[in-house]
Amino acid sequence: MSSSPSKSFAPPDGGWGWMVVFGVALTNIFNQSLISIFGLLFGEHLQSLGQTTVGAALVMNLNSVALNFSGLIIGPLLKRYSPRTVCAVGSLFTSSGLILSSFTTELWQVCITYGILVGIGLGLINPSTFIAVNSYFTSRRGQAIGLAMAGTGVGQMIMPHVVRALLDNYSFKGTILIMGGLALNGIVGASFFQPVNQHLRLEKDKSGEDKLLLKNVHSDGSQCSDDEDIVYTVKPTVIELIKPKTLAGRISDAMDLKLLKDLTFINISIGIALTYTATVNFSMIFPYFLQETAGLSNNDVALCMSVLAGTDLASRLTLPTLTDKFKISCRTLFLSGGFLLLIIRTILAETLHRTNLICMSALYGYFRAAIVVNQNLTISEYVAQERLAGALGLNMITKGIFVITIGQILGWIRDYYQSYPVCLYAQNVLAGIVIITWSTELMFKRYNTSLPIVTQRPVNI
């Protein structure tokens, strides 16, 4: 048997991975953009049902709860099934929810079809598409995720025009049926999610470190020579008698609840959830702030929103490339983006000049993308690949809890003080908490050399 060096295989960091990125972008255009067009799509229908903004808020809150609390099942699902399967099922949920919405005649029916079914669908799509891309890339992961998520930005820019044209020609029922059909493009996108082990690239293990994925071995575990056919096998080395686990133990393993013992993971998850809550609340009140506080016309409000969406898309296409090039950690970029958004919200609260508002909208959109793109990347940077699905699920649950609790408090603050600027400052309080807690942890680890700043993630498929 030849004594040639052992061979190992790593993700392609490109190659078919770019087709996976395309599939994710296609899925996002017709699915993840649905939240931004809810008001336009359902506005007249809800009015015909005798509902006001309270009814619309109820549907959207249920959608957010269903989306985030699908984290309870996403970890076990992604461990048992492939990201392609989970994404396809999620697209079926969103499509079915939209199609069934065409038959609704009561608010509670819309709550079920759009609020719950579409919410669950989006909750399945988000982590499955992230893991699909994440498994294909190493050094260019940020760039790939940015391009994939740019699909959401494209959808947010073009879908309002598509919906308006459809409503003018086919009314609500015809439009929602067409949108349900378009959502099935998520299945087309998911078809590109080929298993990464079909596209692994060959690497030589020069360092001897435990970073390798697979070796070329015979069925008995002995090493293949260079000119022999490659056979991938798994050879058990230790056979243990394992005590059957209790139901609680199986649930803990399925959801990776042991991560809750990791204080760094808890700090990361809470920080992401607080930032997510602040950005969701900002997106909700920003048009009203521009109209009622700044006194802008409808055209100027639309201009500010379009500028914000445009710079958000531009950031998703450009910022990850720059950060990959200069090797900036995802957590550092997330933290920097949160700090810059805090400054921008402060300026917005203190200015009413049209030009300043347009400029701040542009800056907010650009740096918001740093937050959006790096949410899951920050988690994947810290958590090992085999535990990533569970970690994403736990973070989704945390975000859901914070949105329906702290998010409601932010709304109460706005109503109590009758002031949108005060609400912007309340959002900054959340951002300030994240900046303080994360900076404190990172500084502590920097000056305590026994603790790494970032746990290096083993490359596992």
Side-chain angles (χ1 to χ4, degrees), residues 88-166:
V89 171
S91 298
L92 283 174
F93 266 91
T94 57
S95 176
S96 299
L98 290 170
I99 292 172
L100 291 174
S101 294
S102 66
F103 302 102
T104 55
T105 57
E106 301 287 344
L107 178 63
W108 66 268
Q109 296 170 347
V110 180
C111 289
I112 293 174
T113 57
Y114 190 91
I116 297 178
L117 291 180
V118 173
I120 292 174
L122 297 179
L124 296 179
I125 290 172
N126 188 5
S128 60
T129 53
F130 175 80
I131 288 180
V133 175
N134 189 74
S135 64
Y136 269 86
F137 291 87
T138 52
S139 63
R140 291 189 283 185
R141 183 178 292 122
Q143 180 183 1
I145 294 295
L147 289 171
M149 296 187 69
T152 304
V154 171
Q156 290 173 343
M157 294 185 69
I158 66 173
M159 292 310 291
H161 303 287
V162 172
V163 169
R164 174 52 60 194
L166 291 174

Side-chain angles (χ1 to χ4, degrees), residues 304 307-308 311 344 347-348 353-366:
C304 288
V307 167
L308 190 152
T311 55
I344 294 170
I347 296 174
L348 282 170
H353 193 274
R354 176 179 178 273
T355 303
N356 292 340
L357 291 171
I358 294 173
C359 292
M360 289 302 104
S361 297
L363 290 175
Y364 189 93
Y366 193 85

Side-chain angles (χ1 to χ4, degrees), residues 169-233:
N169 290 278
Y170 299 103
S171 73
F172 168 77
K173 188 169 185 177
T175 299
I176 202 74
L177 287 171
I178 293 174
M179 293 299 297
L182 291 175
L184 291 174
N185 279 287
I187 298 177
V188 179
S191 67
F192 290 95
F193 302 175
Q194 294 183 3
V196 70
N197 57 14
Q198 297 180 8
H199 301 275
L200 297 174
R201 58 186 172 90
L202 185 63
E203 278 190 343
K204 287 186 178 180
D205 179 19
K206 297 180 180 180
S207 64
E209 296 177 357
D210 187 21
K211 66 176 182 178
L212 307 180
L213 300 175
L214 297 171
K215 291 183 178 181
N216 299 342
V217 294
H218 291 291
S219 58
D220 63 355
S222 59
Q223 186 69 39
C224 293
S225 61
D226 286 345
D227 57 351
E228 289 183 283
D229 292 335
I230 295 174
V231 179
Y232 304 116
T233 64

Side-chain angles (χ1 to χ4, degrees), residues 7 246 282 326 424:
K7 297 183 179 67
T246 63
F282 178 89
F326 294 104
L424 293 176

